[in-house]
Amino acid sequence: KAGVTQTPRYLIKTRGQQVTLSCSPISGHRSVSWYQQTPGQGLQFLFEYFSETQRNKGNFPGRFSGRQFSNSRSEMNVSTLELGDSALYLCASSLSPSGNGGELFFGEGSRLTVL
Amino acid sequence: TQLLEQSPQFLSIQEGENLTVYCNSSSVFSSLQWYRQEPGEGPVLLVTVVTGGEVKKLKRLTFQFGDARKDSSLHITAAQPGDTGLYLCAGVQPSGSRLTFGEGTQLTVNP
């Protein structure tokens, strides 16, 4: 079966712009989690959605937002981009919420560069 | 302060050597997972441990969950260049609602 698909894979933006990233989970998975990955910082949790509801939110400013659609696809948006937002953004899907301890299936990520 | 502390942060060894990576916390976890991430890809699950003292083997990789369920280790025997990658531990606390990741150990195995 198809894996988790993230688009776009690479993008370059300038400070002050906004960006929308998309994630299509594995068919049948209802939970989608988003992470920011930067060198030396590991995976920083952004938010998790299950059945269109945000279950958890990490310690990121309000410029970071997300949503999940009825088909479980998810988007995240970052407004007023800053240089420090340059990172690899990873999406992961799972059958049930991550707090249940089940396996997360990750996409290849969207690499954002802010100039 | 990270909930899960991984050590070492970086490790560079020669092919054929053995190594151990640690994942420590002061908190108890219901379960703990290990993922490996290769360049240009997302992390992939290697194993899940749920019982204190549990030991799981995956070919040359041995995973152990501490008796108190606060720590875990990953031991690789006779490392190969294909083992190169970022190793991440992740856990769920009994009262937690989500998976928490450590910062990872970047392993490089030189031929």
Side-chain angles (χ1 to χ4, degrees):
Chain A
K1 56 183 177 182
V4 178
T5 303
Q6 291 189 245
T7 57
R9 288 291 312 279
Y10 303 92
L11 65 165
I12 300 174
K13 294 285 188 177
T14 57
R15 281 179 296 176
Q17 288 187 311
Q18 67 96 26
V19 66
T20 299
L21 308 178
S22 178
C23 173
S24 293
I26 291 173
S27 178
H29 285 192
R30 295 163 61 190
S31 179
V32 173
S33 300
W34 288 90
Y35 297 87
Q36 182 194 66
Q37 186 175 35
T38 54
Q41 292 293 317
L43 268 64
Q44 301 296 309
F45 174 75
L46 283 158
F47 22 68
E48 179 177 4
Y49 290 89
F50 182 77
S51 295
E52 300 180 69
T53 300
Q54 186 179 87
R55 283 181 52 85
N56 288 292
K57 190 176 192 306
N59 296 323
F60 279 82
R63 300 185 296 107
F64 291 80
S65 63
R67 58 178 176 170
Q68 187 179 32
F69 302 96
S70 58
N71 62 357
S72 293
R73 189 177 72 85
S74 177
E75 289 182 347
M76 66 163 284
N77 183 277
V78 188
S79 62
T80 319
L81 284 165
E82 300 178 358
L83 295 179
D85 296 333
S86 294
L88 180 67
Y89 290 87
L90 289 164
C91 162
S93 78
S94 54
L95 284 169
S96 60
S98 69
N100 289 358
E103 180 177 1
L104 297 188
F105 294 82
F106 284 85
E108 293 178 316
S110 293
R111 183 164 295 282
L112 170 66
T113 301
V114 182
L115 303 176
Chain B
T1 304
Q2 284 284 112
L3 185 62
L4 284 165
E5 300 279 350
Q6 288 191 241
S7 62
Q9 190 174 358
F10 299 95
L11 188 56
S12 180
I13 62 172
Q14 294 299 123
E15 182 176 2
E17 293 183 3
N18 301 331
L19 67 115
T20 303
V21 173
Y22 300 93
C23 175
N24 296 308
S25 177
S26 57
S27 300
V28 174
F29 289 90
S30 301
S31 64
L32 201 139
Q33 299 175 342
W34 284 92
Y35 289 80
R36 179 170 65 204
Q37 183 179 20
E38 298 184 18
E41 300 181 7
V44 175
L45 180 69
L46 295 173
V47 76
T48 300
V49 286
V50 297
T51 305
E54 181 177 5
V55 177
K56 281 191 174 180
K57 292 191 175 185
L58 185 66
K59 297 184 180 177
R60 294 176 294 101
L61 278 61
T62 301
F63 303 85
Q64 186 164 7
F65 201 12
D67 290 340
R69 292 186 291 137
K70 293 183 178 181
D71 54 80
S72 181
S73 64
L74 158 60
H75 182 80
I76 301 179
T77 303
Q80 299 177 0
D83 296 327
T84 293
L86 178 67
Y87 288 82
L88 296 154
C89 67
V92 178
Q93 293 179 279
S95 60
S97 58
R98 65 175 181 85
L99 198 62
T100 300
F101 281 84
E103 293 181 334
T105 293
Q106 181 63 54
L107 171 66
T108 302
V109 182
N110 303 298

